[in-house]
Amino acid sequence: MSGNHRREGGGAMAGLFVLLLPIFFPTLFTTLSHASPTIPSDLNAPKFRHSRLAKSALQRQTSNEVQSELWTPLAHQGWKPCTESDAASTVPEKSEGYIQVFLDGGLNQQRMGICDAVVVAKILNATLVIPQLEVNPVWQDSSSFEDIFDVDHFINVLKDDISIIKELPDEFSWSTREYYGIAIRPTRIKTAPVHASANWYLENVSPVLQSYGIAAIAPFSHRLTFDNMPKYLQHLRCKVNFQALAFVPHIRHLGDALINRLRYPPSEGNMISNNYLREVTDLKPKQGAGKFAVLHLRFDKDMAAHSACDFGGGKAENLALAKYRQVIWGGRVINSQFTDEELRSQGRCPLTPEEVGLLLAALGFDNNTRLYLASHKVFGGERRISALRSLFPLMEDKKSLASSEERALIKGKASLLAAVDYYVGMHSDIFVSASPGNMHNAMVGHRTYNNMKTIRPNMALLGQLFLNKTLTWPEFQESVVEGHQNRQGQIRLRKPKQSLYTYPAPDCMCQA
């Protein structure tokens, strides 16, 4: 493992050098950044904003005791997965018709919509057509359900609950998204309110099924309530999310390969080509499997602009983000009415890669930590990530761990890239989500269901700490540790209006 130690030292020094470049050569970093960074825009990322803390973090020493406690799995909390309903679930002898749903959003929003669609079909005693996924307007991803999820597994797991078909019969082949996009159609349900009740579907959709034999519900995301639902329907939701939705084999195989490479990193002597990782995947070092953490770094241009926060890129960056807000949302972003200090003190600013790195360092992750970066396009590119990389030189991602040939099937497909990250995240020792969002919600819920350690940043606390420019490293570290003692996967019972996909207890879990 001497190669790793050399990489650690060299990576840290190189990272620090890169971070200090903009301090001494500020004119190099005046170009406007973009969500898909080219080489010039990579140089636009701001200088090290928390240099006093970063200097101490780079020199940090973590005791074996702290390391041991940090990586220790969660103790049993008195809850266990529970998706079997007390009431016998049966498929009705006669279907009332076919239900279609058209789902927008990214992978995890679509995942929740799929779960709700199954339950709506159950409420209506209808046959569900495999949901259609709309082209993602942000990432321009046209991946279908079949591209992401194992359809046969999905149908088989739910065969005793509802009837599911892959395609409509020929007599209904006219019912397509194009058909509904050019005129008002009596078979399309456009009026489903957000968090509609089961009774709403019985009163408004059942008559359409009875008249036409089919109903297409669009838009559908977030169109089913979490409250006042029979227990057997809540359990069905859980069954879909935690059992029926499995990724297609090539996603799982690539995920397994990445996990294996994180747990069994090759020694320097095994680096025999640019694709050495693939060639030595099956090597198992004598010391056994290592531990690794997954960091979901949600810091794309869309997120940065919508937050209306200042990320240190100067006037040019702030003007660019303001222009983006105007183009995408007509400038109507609620946060725009607050100052940056107000937003940060309220925890409403996404953490930058640098700030996430300081959080992890304060919690006790040392520079030997194997960190997997689950992220799409980071606003500011590699220049912005370099602060994080200097603190964690053993950080990896899909590109560094897999060859271009291995990544060919997921290249350019945001949903498939996210699926790989989700799969790796579900097999990590620790998962950390930098900012709230659909991926955060889905992973927190799924790992809670499996009693796995998951660190949820205290956004308000961190925002206040980073505003304090006189804070010393020991003071920062003490505040961070104290503020995250109960944010590492402890069971939190779902409250009214909260999502069971984020808070699976008590709907999806039973007290052991």
Side-chain angles (χ1 to χ4, degrees), residues 160 197 261 303 501:
D160 296 328
S197 68
R261 293 162 194 176
M303 178 81 162
Y501 304 123

Side-chain angles (χ1 to χ4, degrees), residues 110 130-133 141-149 413 415-416:
Q110 291 170 340
I130 289 293
Q132 294 191 49
L133 310 184
D141 188 349
S142 59
S143 298
S144 67
F145 185 106
E146 295 86 347
D147 292 330
I148 304 169
F149 299 107
K413 299 287 187 179
S415 292
L416 300 185

Side-chain angles (χ1 to χ4, degrees), residues 252-273:
R252 302 198 305 270
H253 294 159
L254 178 56
D256 286 334
L258 301 184
I259 293 162
N260 194 51
R261 293 162 194 176
L262 286 162
R263 294 209 181 279
Y264 303 98
S267 64
E268 191 172 273
N270 293 125
M271 298 181 185
I272 50 183
S273 75

Side-chain angles (χ1 to χ4, degrees), residues 73-379:
L74 283 177
H76 182 60
Q77 300 183 67
W79 292 82
K80 64 178 182 179
C82 186
T83 58
E84 296 303 321
S85 175
D86 295 335
S89 183
T90 58
V91 178
E93 292 183 8
K94 181 180 181 298
S95 171
E96 296 296 323
Y98 298 101
I99 289 293
Q100 282 181 293
V101 295
F102 300 89
L103 302 176
D104 54 12
L107 171 70
N108 294 291
Q109 184 175 332
Q110 291 170 340
R111 183 188 186 100
M112 298 170 196
I114 292 166
C115 299
D116 288 348
V118 169
V119 176
V120 167
K122 183 70 174 179
I123 291 169
L124 298 171
N125 284 333
T127 297
L128 178 68
V129 185
I130 289 293
Q132 294 191 49
L133 310 184
E134 301 281 29
V135 175
N136 188 299
V138 176
W139 307 121
Q140 292 298 309
D141 188 349
S142 59
S143 298
S144 67
F145 185 106
E146 295 86 347
D147 292 330
I148 304 169
F149 299 107
D150 188 326
V151 178
D152 292 332
H153 175 83
F154 180 75
I155 294 173
N156 184 60
V157 169
L158 299 171
K159 67 181 185 299
D160 296 328
D161 299 289
I162 66 166
S163 175
I164 305 174
I165 58 173
K166 296 180 181 179
E167 296 180 351
L168 283 168
D170 289 342
E171 62 186 293
F172 292 106
S173 61
W174 48 265
S175 185
T176 64
R177 59 161 60 95
E178 291 76 20
Y179 173 77
Y180 294 110
I182 58 176
I184 296 174
R185 308 294 187 182
T187 52
R188 179 183 176 187
I189 310 298
K190 294 180 64 176
T191 56
V194 173
H195 303 313
S197 68
N199 283 338
W200 188 93
Y201 283 98
L202 291 170
E203 293 170 3
N204 294 276
V205 183
S206 283
V208 176
L209 288 175
Q210 292 168 8
S211 298
Y212 301 97
I214 189 170
I217 310 173
F220 186 72
S221 295
H222 311 299
R223 290 315 197 268
L224 184 64
T225 184
F226 289 108
D227 301 319
N228 302 314
M229 293 279 285
K231 181 181 284 188
Y232 79 96
L233 292 179
Q234 298 288 64
H235 280 182
L236 180 56
R237 260 177 161 157
C238 306
K239 184 176 183 179
V240 182
N241 193 37
F242 300 126
Q243 296 179 23
L245 286 176
F247 294 123
V248 292
H250 76 83
I251 294 291
R252 302 198 305 270
H253 294 159
L254 178 56
D256 286 334
L258 301 184
I259 293 162
N260 194 51
R261 293 162 194 176
L262 286 162
R263 294 209 181 279
Y264 303 98
S267 64
E268 191 172 273
N270 293 125
M271 298 181 185
I272 50 183
S273 75
N274 290 334
N275 293 330
Y276 73 90
L277 283 168
R278 179 173 55 179
E279 297 166 16
V280 299
T281 290
D282 295 328
L283 294 180
K284 301 292 190 293
K286 293 181 180 179
Q287 67 268 30
K291 297 183 182 297
F292 73 95
V294 166
L295 168 62
H296 177 236
L297 182 60
R298 191 185 180 201
F299 197 74
D300 53 64
K301 188 172 185 177
D302 198 67
M303 178 81 162
H306 196 271
S307 72
C309 299
D310 182 347
F311 298 105
K315 186 176 180 180
E317 179 176 275
N318 290 336
L319 287 174
L321 293 177
K323 183 178 180 179
Y324 187 85
R325 283 193 290 275
Q326 187 63 40
V327 171
I328 303 298
W329 303 291
R332 295 183 295 275
V333 175
I334 295 176
N335 285 355
S336 297
Q337 61 188 298
F338 299 101
T339 66
D340 183 70
E341 289 75 13
E342 289 171 331
L343 292 173
R344 290 191 180 280
S345 63
Q346 297 169 19
R348 297 168 72 170
C349 292
L351 298 175
T352 66
E354 173 195 350
E355 290 167 345
V356 174
L358 293 172
L359 163 66
L360 296 181
L363 288 173
F365 292 93
D366 64 17
N367 58 9
N368 286 314
T369 299
R370 297 203 66 80
L371 189 64
Y372 175 86
L373 182 61
S375 179
H376 196 54
K377 295 176 180 177
V378 174
F379 179 53

Side-chain angles (χ1 to χ4, degrees), residues 448-460:
T448 297
Y449 182 78
N450 289 335
N451 197 49
M452 302 172 75
K453 185 167 282 190
T454 309
I455 296 174
R456 297 180 299 109
N458 187 329
M459 302 294 286

Side-chain angles (χ1 to χ4, degrees), residues 365-431:
F365 292 93
D366 64 17
N367 58 9
N368 286 314
T369 299
R370 297 203 66 80
L371 189 64
Y372 175 86
L373 182 61
S375 179
H376 196 54
K377 295 176 180 177
V378 174
F379 179 53
E382 181 58 33
R383 278 286 301 120
R384 205 156 221 143
I385 297 174
S386 61
L388 175 63
R389 197 179 301 281
S390 69
L391 291 167
F392 296 96
L394 303 187
M395 187 171 70
E396 306 280 6
D397 57 20
K398 292 178 288 292
K399 191 171 183 179
S400 67
L401 284 173
S403 69
S404 57
E405 292 86 356
E406 289 175 305
R407 290 181 281 112
L409 291 176
I410 63 172
K411 184 178 181 180
K413 299 287 187 179
S415 292
L416 300 185
L417 292 165
V420 172
D421 286 342
Y422 191 104
Y423 187 85
V424 175
M426 279 305 301
H427 290 79
S428 64
D429 298 283
I430 300 174
F431 180 84

